[in-house]
Each structure stands twice: as structure tokens, then as C-alpha cells.
Amino acid sequence: MPNSKRLILAHFWLAFAGFGVALVLGAWQMFVRSPLHPWISDPEWYYRSLTAHGTVMAYAFPTLVAMGFGYAITEAALNQPLVGRRWAWAGWWILAVGAVTALVPVALGNASVLYTFYPPQIGSPFYYIGVVLVVVGSWFWVALMSVNLALWKRAHPSAPVPLAMFGMLGGAYLWAWTSVGAALELLLQIIPVALGLKSTIDAGLARVFFSWTLHAIVYFWLIPTYVAYYAIVPRAIGGRLYSDTMGRIAFVLFLVVAMPIGIHHTFEDPQVGAAFKFIHSAFTALVVVPTLITVFTICASVEIVGRLRGGRGPFGWIAALPWDNPIMLAIAFSFVMLGFGGAGGIINMSYQLNMPIHNTQWITGHFHLIFGGAIVIMYFAIAYDLWPHLTGRPLLDLGLMRLQLWLWFVGMIVTTFPWHWVGILGMPRRMAYFDFTDAALAPEAVSVTISVIGGLVLLASGLLFIAVLLRGHLAPVREVESYRFAEAVHPPVAVPAALNGYAVWIALMILLTLTNYGFPIAQLAARSDTSVPPVYVGAQR
Amino acid sequence: MSAPDPVHAAGEERAARVERRWAGLAVCLMVLLTGMAAYAGIHRATMPQARVETVDPQRLHIGGEFVESNLGSALEDDGSVTVRAIGQQYSFTPTCIIVPTATPITIRATSADVVHGILIQNTNINTMLAPGYVSVISARFDKPGDYLMPCQEFCSFGHEGMWGKVRVVAKEEFVANAARQRRQSCAQ
Amino acid sequence: MSVRDELSFRNSWFAVSVGLTLVIFVLTALVGLVLLPYAQPDLKFANLWDAICSAAGVPRASPEAAAVAPAFKLSDVVLTSTTFAHPSQESIGRGATLAQQCAICHGPTGVSRADSPNLAGQYAGVVYKELMDFKTGARSNAVMTPFAANLNDRDMRDLAAYYAYLPRLPAYHPEREVPLPKIVINGAPVRGIAPCGSCHGSLANKPGSPWLEGQPAAYMEEQLKAFASGARHNDISQQMRNIARAMTAEEITQAATYFASRPPDENVDPFR
């Protein structure tokens, strides 16, 4: 990490800069579609903002955080300077160029198709090409993580791979494979039509390809958070990790089962067979297991700290925890939001419970709570934890960091809980305005207004986060001790090959993709009678 | 997994046992939830549509099942009702769907252009409309009433104006009207 | 352990996890393909293979049912955004010749002096569709129907290309500026009315939807009323009848007056 600070900081700053802009857009969106604002006179502005917000928050921001964190882990956990740093910079540049290539047409109003693309709506080809470049840039990172670990393993045969590196690498492999779905949709279907090379597109097949990416991408976003749970939090709050083995098992389970479950995003789609909807639903149930395992292991690890600090009785250890430590706040908030968001996810994965809330504001509330809440709050914690080691200066203001985390937690609850409620009432997604004067919709007005307030709190928290990081660059230089990861109570000495590498699990991931996605994709791709004309969206009128 | 040490070995063994039990519990929990979902689906008749059907969205208005004169609610010989509708930028046809109480209803719908969605508020009727495919969904209403039916998927810049209605009327009234009108709707 | 050893069945981790995964897949597939279809009493399958294929998602033919035929002629024009993309110069030239007979009402420059619609710069697809609908009887008008009867498909495409090629000029009787009516700018969501511009060009163009700026107010009002009453029914799948029926008489007048007062938009590509 002393060697690649600039590289890692470049990733984090690009991520957080995009995050800040997208956060402002998000707050604006919530405001204009609420009862507090008259109906926007040009709804296209709303959809343009929605496209930019989603594209940055889904494709650029978490990818860059994972990449930066991954490089930091590679150097700190493996204790070796990053091999291939020029390739890493190349990847960063390709991603940055891709992001600009995508967002310029969005800003001009030529690609207001939303980050989910859903053809046959087709925007400017540069938007899609930009997204492809962002993904390609991240594949450089996947390759580098793999190469760096392979070199380390050759130098340390049969040594246990440090858990942080093991987890992060799993996330990288997962991302590489899951991004193939959207890449196929973009390269084989959308971009040819956007360029005018093809004149029809199978909208159903495109949705199936996208669903391949759509679920596992959230596990790609989640892995850095889980790596922080296992490898940072126990050390940061003064304790040990309850179990190294269970951490490895959780990460390998994510790699295998996060991928072949995407059809639960197409439960209500007419082009997918009912059997595959059930199969994916069952496998989605399995992906809850590594999270349940993690909750147990991390709660046990935190309990160790509480008892080390003198906590007694079944709950006394909670009060004894180091609540003045921002990382302690972050993990507690993250787990509360994970609990609610995870429960919502279990509802979404059940076909029958999903039906009433599909594509309503419940969905928006769910993924903001789980991703924007449980996952991103740990991104903040990761940044706070790494920052002194990247800047060479300590982060001094713990009070400001605690305030920022409190605001994010409270803001996220206040934003997302009303969304869940109005979703149950049937409020649809992605509308630029609503007629709250209508008797059927008037009950939703209060909830929507409350969530706007939450959005403003989130905006304040996000800006405060960036301010804290900026101030971290300006603090006086001080000797910062070398970076350490959490240690397990029983540090691993000999780890089975299957929990020290990913060959078995990658094979399974690919196998399951074939069994769970092979037929649905093949039988739609083989048909020529399901392609429909494109509907071009953009400034061409 | 660690160097043999009598003091810690017992603790390690205990810790491992506890977490294995928890992992087993987690798996059982998820199997139970999945089974419940399958059971509830079968016995409450909310299952995914049984077949994938295709249709040409460019020719819906020219002939076939989704020509405009065939849209609306039809009383079948066996007493059930089939509702046919299309979603297009930016309205549903028929804009107001009329259905009877206490009758098995099958909604058959498709899109004429981009991906739309049908969501009937205060019910669990919710499906996507993808161009090229027919969506089929079962429903049953117990009481008369009016429902709003927004499009729930972004279909471009008029999406916020795409709201239909569903009116549930007493079965006798619907059956009486069916004698005069083979395809009913409440769009004035 | 080398990768090859790891991926062999002698590695118990590999063997157990592959075995377990396949067992779970086979079990869930059996439930999904066989058990669940047969557990639903209201589903009818011809045989087991039919049940499996249906559950797997192999497209099946829609059930045969007699469709209620329309009582009047419907438009049978199919338009996409690329139908009229690249007209040839010959086509435009032929259209210019044909358009001489149109100038009486629609003006020599495609801008009408009476209440017939201005055609200059109109989307080619719109001109073509209306002409075709006049010819087939999907739309009828005492003046236009005889004209259209004499045109064949190529003539209509040529006329469409010619009029699209003409520059948009302000309407012959430009109205003064009127305030923005809510029905035009925002529509009326709960009544199912989207903003006019989402199809008619100021936000986006839906193929077949004319741009309206500068058209005669009387013409637009008459057409909206005709859609509302059903007298005009060549809008594909009732998309304009749905809108017009839900508008009040005052809103119709407001919309017509507003669009008549607007200058034509220069940024439109009429060959979309």
C-alpha cells in the first residue's frame, strides 16, 4: 500500500466524486416527484437524471470502490507491492473514459433509457459503448487481483491466503462472470441496433441477459462490505474474528450461488418458463445462507469485544462496546439495515409475495436500504479505515465521522421505509410526477414527503463524508502504523485447497449458469419470431 | 485447523459446533421458506404463467387476438371471463377494464411497442408486458369497486401519464351486458 | 494441489459440492417441470412432454379463439422509426409533381391557407399513413377520400417524402402567444393522459404521431372531437381515442389553441 497510494486514491476519489454528484441528482429527483413540487414541465429531465443517477451509482461508484479496496488489500494482505501497476492505471483510465463516454450523451438527453436499458428503447450508442468500457476497465482489475495472488501463492506454497484477499478475489471473479450477461446484451443486441446495424431486437432475451447480471452485481457490491465485516471490523473495534473458516465458506457460497438466480428479477416476465422461475427462486433461498452465516460470525466477533471490555450477561456486552468508534457505529447500522433489507429481499424472492410489490416503490426502497444503506455505509467505514494509510495523515475528527454515519443511517431509514409502505399501496416506479390530489393516491402523499426529508438528510451526510475525506488530506503529517487486518481467534494454519482458491467454485459457478440459464437463453436466441423494432429515444425527434 | 493446544482445542471445538448448528439452522430455514412459497402458490392460485406465448407486436392492430374490436372482457362458455388488453405508449386499451365479481378471470395482455407493466392497485395483479410475448395472469374479485391500474415499467417520457382503471361490477350486471356486447369495457 | 487435482472427483470438496449442486438442481427442476404444473388443477396439458415444455418456457401457440371482427375498417399501416429513413431524390421529385394537386387546399408551400393541415415538413410516416388510411377507408373525408383513391403505394411514399423534405414555415394565420395549458404540458395522469409532447415531438416522437405546432386550431379541435366521439378511428389500437375521450371540451379547445399558436420546431427530423 505504500507503493500504490496514488492509484488507490484515484479510484476512491473518482468513486466518491461520482457518488456526490449522483447523490445531488437523487435528492432532486425525490423532491420534484413529491407533493412538495409542482409537476415538472419537462418529464424528460427527470428520466435523464434517473439515468445518470443509476448509471453512476450502479456501474461506476461501487466498481471503483471495489477496485481501490482490492488493490489496497492486495498490497496490505499479501505484503507485496502491486504487480502490474501500469495495467491498473490503464484499467482506471479505460473506466474513466468509459464513464465520460456514457454520461455525456446522458447529460445531453440522448440516452434517457435508465440504467437498466430495457430495450426496445434504444438511446445513443455512445452511452452503451461507455458502459462497456467501464466494465472492460474493471476486468483489468480482476486479472491483476488474480495474477498478484498467483504470484504470492507461488512464493508461499500451501500457506493460507489471507481472508481479506480471499474474499475480495471471490468478488472479482464473481464480477467478471456476472458482467458477461449485460456485456452479451450490449454487444450482441443493443449496440448493433443503436448503431443501425440491426433493425430488430428480442426484448425478452435482452431482459434475460440483463437478469444474469442484475442479481449477482449486488453481490459484487456487497463483497467489499463483507470483507470489511470479516477483516476490518474485528480489529478496528479491538477484538478478533470468531471464525476464519466460516468467512471462507461464506465467500465461496456467494461466488457459486449469487449468479444463477437472476430470473427472480423476471418473475413477472412472460418470456421465461415457470419451471425456471421456481428453480431460481429455490437457489435464491440458498444465497441467503452465507448472509445468515456472516451475521452469526460477525455478531459473535463483536460479542467477543464486548466481553473483553467487561460486558456481562446475555445483553450487557452490547453496552460495553466501543460506541465512540465510528467503525462500531458503522457495523451496527449496517446490520440493522441488513436485517430489514434482507427480510425485504426474502419477500422479493418468493414469487407469491413478490407479485404485489413488483416494480413498485417497495423495490426502490429495498435496494436503497440494502445497497445504499447496509453496503454503502461500510464503504464509508472502509474509506475511514484506509484513509490515514493512503494519505499519511490521521483522520482527526471522530465526532464528525460519527455524525456523518448517524445521518446516513437515519436518513436511509427515513427515506426507504416510506418507500416500502407506498410500494405496498401500489405506487409504481419511475414516474416523473403523481396526482396526489386523486383520492386513491392522496394517502401516499405524506409518506412520499417524509422520504424527501430523508433524502435531504442523506445528501447532507454524503457531503459531510466527502468533507471529512478532504480534510484528511489537509491534516498534519503523522507517523501512521502499518495496516493490519483482523486476526481470527484461531488463526488458520492449514486450509483445504478448496477454501484457499477458487478453482472448484468457479467451475460450479459456470456449471450452474449453464443449468439455470442455458435453456432460457438458448431457446429465446434460437427463435427469429420474437424480435421487435427498436424505439429510438433521444434528442432525435 | 490450528496448532494442537489443549486449552484452546475445547473452545475451538465448541465454537465450531455452535456455528455448524447455526449454519444447519439457516439451511433448514431457507428450505422451509421455499416450500411454503411453493405450497402457498399452488393453493392460492398465484403461480407464474404456465406457458410462454409469442405474438407479433407490429400487427396487433391488423388482426388476430389483439385487434381493437376483440379487446375487453369476454364471457366464456364455461362462465369464466377473459380480459384482453394491450399496453402501448402511453395508454392501455381498453383504458377501463370491467370485470365481474366471484368469477375466475384470465387477463391476456401484450405490448405494442416497448416494455410496459400492468399493476392493479390494492390487488396482487402485477405483470410485465413485453413486446413479442403474451402475458397471462389469473384473477378473482370478491367485491365490486374501482381500482387504478398504472403502468409500472418505464416506457419513455409519457410513462407518468399511463394510468388505466379497473371496475368490478356485480356478476349479474356483467352477465346481462354480455348478451348485448361480446367485448365489454368501461371506457366511455 | 494443482488446479487439475482440485477439479477431479478425487478431491472430496469438488465431488461433494458438485454432487450436492446437481442434486439440488435436479430436485428443483423436477418440482418446477413436473410437480408444480400437475399440482395446479386449472392447467390443462396434452401430456407429460407438453407439461415439461410449457414449464421450461418453450413458446406455445396461443389458444384458438374466434376474434370479434371490427365493425369498421381499421388502419393497417405498420410504421417503425426507420420506415421512411432515407428517401431518394427521385422519390422527392415525383412527390413534388404529385403534390401539385394538393396545393389547392394544403398550399403551394405545404402551408395551408384554410383549415386543412399544414403538411410542410411533417413526418413522412404521418403523411403516408393518413393517405393510406384514406385510401383503405380507415379514415374518411369527403375531400380526401377521392384524392387518395387515385394514389398507389409508391405515390403515397413519394408524397410523404416530398412533404417531409419541405421546410417548415410558420402557419399562414399565426396566432398570438397563449399560456401553457396544463393538459398539454403535463397531461392528466389519473385520467390516463400523458403530456402531448411525449408522442407529438416536443419530448419525443412516436412514429405516426404528427407534430402539431402551427397547425390550424379549428382542424385540431375537430380531429380531437372526432376521436372522442369515435367518428375518427384510424388511430392504431385506439391510442388517440383513449386520450380524446378523457379530455374535457375545454381542454380540447385549450390544446388546439395552444398548438396553433406555436411556431414549428426546427430540431425535428421528419424522416423518423
Side-chain angles (χ1 to χ4, degrees):
Chain A
M1 198 151 52
N3 296 298
S4 300
K5 284 183 197 155
R6 276 188 65 228
L7 175 75
I8 297 165
L9 277 172
H11 284 80
F12 281 140
W13 271 120
L14 188 57
F16 298 137
F19 171 74
V21 172
L23 198 63
V24 172
L25 289 177
W28 177 80
Q29 284 153 217
M30 294 184 61
F31 180 61
V32 295
R33 62 176 265 279
S34 76
L36 299 172
H37 190 271
W39 292 347
I40 189 172
S41 62
D42 186 344
E44 190 272 327
W45 282 96
Y46 179 79
Y47 300 118
R48 194 187 302 196
S49 175
L50 214 54
T51 306
H53 176 86
T55 304
V56 169
M57 291 299 208
Y59 299 138
F61 162 63
T63 312
L64 284 162
V65 169
M67 290 166 74
F69 189 36
Y71 291 134
I73 289 174
T74 307
E75 292 202 326
L78 303 184
N79 250 318
Q80 65 189 33
L82 182 72
V83 169
R85 198 184 319 156
R86 260 196 242 140
W87 290 102
W89 275 110
W92 184 92
W93 275 106
I94 291 176
L95 192 155
V97 166
V100 170
T101 309
L103 290 170
V104 165
V106 171
L108 294 176
N110 293 342
S112 303
V113 292
L114 308 191
Y115 82 99
T116 41
F117 316 142
Y118 293 147
Q121 292 186 62
I122 303 282
S124 157
F126 290 105
Y127 171 64
Y128 306 110
I129 290 170
V131 173
V132 170
L133 285 176
V134 167
V135 172
V136 166
S138 68
W139 287 345
F140 280 58
W141 164 74
V142 173
L144 283 173
M145 296 278 288
S146 185
V147 162
N148 273 269
L149 181 64
L151 290 171
W152 182 88
K153 277 180 126 175
R154 214 185 297 160
H156 304 86
S158 65
V161 174
L163 184 61
M165 185 66 186
F166 186 72
M168 207 59 201
L169 186 61
Y173 287 142
L174 177 64
W175 169 240
W177 185 243
T178 195
S179 54
V180 170
L184 288 175
E185 182 198 2
L186 287 169
L187 293 172
L188 298 181
Q189 294 191 284
I190 292 183
I191 292 178
V193 172
L195 291 172
L197 301 173
K198 283 174 74 173
S199 58
T200 58
I201 187 167
D202 186 335
L205 178 61
R207 289 174 68 88
V208 174
F209 273 136
F210 194 70
S211 77
W212 167 331
T213 299
L214 192 56
H215 200 84
I217 194 175
V218 321
Y219 288 93
F220 166 58
W221 299 340
L222 169 155
I223 297 269
T225 292
Y226 276 44
V227 168
Y229 286 164
Y230 281 100
I232 292 182
V233 170
R235 179 222 83 223
I237 60 174
R240 298 285 200 102
L241 175 64
Y242 184 81
S243 167
D244 177 272
T245 312
M246 273 307 183
R248 291 169 195 272
I249 290 179
F251 286 120
V252 305
L253 280 177
F254 277 128
L255 182 72
V256 173
V257 198
M259 237 273 5
I261 59 177
I263 278 178
H264 69 241
H265 290 265
T266 56
F267 269 163
E268 313 302 340
D269 278 38
Q271 76 276 6
V272 179
F276 283 97
K277 292 179 181 175
F278 178 74
I279 292 170
H280 282 239
S281 179
F283 276 91
T284 310
L286 287 180
V287 87
V288 181
V289 173
T291 291
L292 290 175
I293 290 175
T294 301
V295 167
F296 177 87
T297 306
I298 304 303
C299 281
S301 310
V302 172
E303 185 181 347
I304 289 174
V305 175
R307 299 211 180 276
L308 282 176
R309 290 165 65 95
R312 299 192 165 293
F315 297 109
W317 57 273
I318 298 178
L321 290 168
W323 290 107
D324 59 341
N325 184 332
I327 307 291
M328 184 67 232
L329 279 185
I331 182 77
F333 292 155
S334 183
F335 265 37
V336 169
M337 292 189 282
L338 181 65
F340 286 112
I346 294 178
I347 288 173
N348 297 343
M349 117 198 151
S350 324
Y351 181 86
Q352 290 73 21
L353 290 178
N354 174 69
M355 267 185 81
I357 47 86
H358 169 68
N359 257 0
T360 64
Q361 295 289 344
W362 167 286
I363 300 295
T364 319
H366 165 75
F367 66 74
H368 280 82
L369 180 62
I370 192 97
F371 172 48
I375 293 178
V376 167
I377 206 170
M378 291 308 293
Y379 288 1
F380 297 152
I382 289 169
Y384 288 154
D385 197 60
L386 283 176
W387 220 245
H389 303 271
L390 296 173
T391 58
R393 304 146 199 270
L395 280 180
L396 292 169
D397 205 330
L398 293 185
L400 215 52
M401 289 153 66
R402 286 194 298 264
L403 174 66
Q404 185 268 319
L405 293 169
W406 265 107
L407 286 176
W408 192 258
F409 173 66
V410 169
M412 193 54 76
I413 301 284
V414 173
T415 302
T416 59
F417 278 30
W419 268 344
H420 284 83
W421 174 241
V422 296
I424 294 174
L425 295 181
M427 183 180 240
R429 281 175 80 182
R430 298 167 153 178
M431 283 194 172
Y433 45 79
F434 296 86
D435 187 353
F436 292 104
T437 64
D438 185 272
L441 298 177
E444 298 167 3
V446 172
S447 304
V448 174
T449 306
I450 292 174
S451 67
V452 174
I453 297 171
L456 292 174
V457 173
L458 288 174
L459 180 60
S461 173
L463 296 176
L464 191 53
F465 170 67
I466 292 177
V468 169
L469 296 185
L470 276 173
R471 283 176 61 160
H473 279 284
L474 302 172
V477 176
R478 201 191 288 175
E479 184 69 36
V480 177
E481 57 184 34
S482 65
Y483 195 78
R484 287 184 307 113
F485 289 104
E487 282 173 24
V489 173
H490 304 283
V493 168
V495 173
L499 293 182
N500 216 29
Y502 282 102
V504 171
W505 314 111
I506 291 176
L508 267 179
M509 175 178 75
I510 295 177
L511 172 70
L512 272 178
T513 306
L514 285 170
T515 59
N516 285 19
Y517 266 105
F519 186 77
I521 289 175
Q523 70 107 1
L524 287 177
R527 299 190 75 90
S528 53
D529 61 343
T530 48
S531 290
V532 303
V535 174
Y536 290 102
V537 165
Q540 247 194 326
R541 290 174 306 193
Chain B
M1 291 281 287
S2 88
D5 174 342
V7 175
H8 292 283
E12 189 184 354
E13 179 49 42
R14 178 124 183 256
R17 199 170 55 235
V18 168
E19 67 188 5
R20 271 199 300 271
R21 249 186 238 153
W22 171 257
L25 190 67
V27 172
C28 290
L29 179 67
M30 296 324 297
V31 171
L32 177 71
L33 287 180
T34 310
M36 268 171 60
Y39 180 86
I42 296 168
H43 290 273
R44 293 302 217 154
T46 44
M47 294 297 283
Q49 65 185 70
R51 293 175 180 82
V52 172
E53 296 178 33
T54 59
V55 71
D56 184 350
Q58 295 188 77
R59 307 189 69 79
L60 297 176
H61 59 288
I62 296 181
E65 183 179 4
F66 294 97
V67 72
E68 66 177 60
S69 50
N70 202 40
L71 299 176
S73 309
L75 183 63
E76 304 291 345
D77 295 332
D78 62 358
S80 69
V81 166
T82 305
V83 177
R84 294 181 177 86
I86 60 174
Q88 61 202 336
Q89 290 173 319
Y90 297 102
S91 59
F92 295 104
T93 300
T95 50
C96 183
I97 292 174
I98 192 162
V99 287
T101 54
T103 311
I105 295 166
T106 304
I107 301 174
R108 295 176 54 81
T110 185
S111 161
D113 38 40
V114 298
V115 178
H116 296 275
I118 281 187
L119 162 69
I120 305 182
Q121 293 193 331
N122 296 325
T123 72
N124 56 12
I125 299 163
N126 192 336
T127 187
M128 306 303 295
L129 302 181
Y133 302 90
V134 179
S135 302
V136 181
I137 204 164
S138 310
R140 190 186 172 92
F141 292 88
D142 291 329
K143 297 192 298 285
D146 286 341
Y147 300 87
L148 285 176
M149 185 176 82
C151 170
Q152 33 82 323
E153 182 55 85
F154 174 66
C155 47
S156 200
F157 311 144
H159 169 58
E160 68 281 344
M162 191 164 166
W163 291 73
K165 289 188 168 64
V166 174
R167 170 160 300 155
V168 185
V169 296
K171 185 172 180 154
E172 304 73 36
E173 182 185 334
F174 183 88
V175 172
N177 284 333
R180 288 181 288 118
Q181 268 183 297
R182 290 178 58 197
R183 299 287 182 266
Q184 298 185 50
S185 81
C186 38
Q188 320 91 313
Chain C
M1 205 188 264
S2 74
V3 171
R4 201 137 49 101
D5 289 334
E6 267 196 80
L7 294 180
S8 86
F9 282 102
R10 276 169 288 132
N11 177 6
S12 62
W13 283 88
F14 184 70
V16 167
S17 42
V18 171
L20 197 59
T21 302
L22 285 176
V23 163
I24 296 176
F25 175 72
V26 168
L27 266 175
T28 53
L30 275 173
V31 171
L33 289 170
V34 180
L35 184 67
L36 287 180
Y38 278 103
Q40 296 170 72
D42 50 338
L43 294 184
K44 312 271 179 290
F45 297 107
N47 50 41
L48 177 64
W49 184 242
D50 181 39
I52 291 177
C53 287
S54 299
V58 178
R60 313 308 254 173
S62 298
E64 285 297 314
V68 172
F72 40 73
K73 185 82 186 67
L74 297 172
S75 174
D76 54 14
V77 174
V78 175
L79 283 179
T80 71
S81 50
T82 50
T83 312
F84 285 92
H86 301 291
S88 66
Q89 288 298 324
E90 293 83 27
S91 177
I92 295 174
R94 286 192 302 264
T97 312
L98 288 163
Q100 290 166 6
Q101 53 181 308
C102 316
I104 314 168
C105 296
H106 290 286
T109 54
V111 179
S112 142
R113 296 154 194 260
D115 286 335
S116 34
N118 304 319
L119 298 178
Q122 184 55 268
Y123 294 109
V126 171
V127 174
Y128 172 78
K129 176 176 182 297
E130 299 308 317
L131 283 172
M132 186 57 89
D133 288 344
F134 280 123
K135 186 180 170 94
T136 60
R139 184 177 177 188
S140 57
N141 175 278
V143 177
M144 281 307 301
T145 303
F147 274 113
N150 293 330
L151 299 170
N152 62 34
D153 187 84
R154 197 187 76 164
D155 293 336
M156 296 188 214
R157 288 175 186 273
D158 295 338
L159 275 168
Y162 170 68
Y163 276 116
Y165 156 84
L166 288 180
R168 275 170 218 215
L169 301 171
Y172 193 75
H173 298 288
E175 310 273 346
R176 51 179 171 65
E177 281 245 1
V178 301
L180 309 178
K182 198 161 189 214
I183 189 69
V184 171
I185 301 302
N186 291 130
V190 176
R191 278 186 279 150
I193 302 175
C196 305
S198 55
C199 288
H200 284 285
S202 59
L203 294 174
N205 174 249
K206 187 174 176 188
S209 315
W211 55 258
L212 303 170
E213 290 83 4
Q215 297 292 351
Y219 175 74
M220 287 191 284
E221 186 156 352
E222 186 192 329
Q223 298 312 307
L224 279 171
K225 288 185 175 151
F227 278 127
S229 70
R232 179 170 168 186
H233 43 248
N234 72 323
D235 53 327
I236 290 173
S237 296
Q238 305 200 30
Q239 53 190 286
M240 271 313 296
R241 278 169 278 168
N242 291 340
I243 305 269
R245 276 192 292 254
M247 292 170 79
T248 65
E250 191 192 336
E251 285 170 339
I252 289 179
T253 307
Q254 280 178 348
T257 314
Y258 170 75
F259 276 113
S261 74
R262 304 289 300 160
D265 186 342
E266 275 139 34
N267 292 330
V268 170
D269 174 3
F271 290 106
R272 289 264 279 110

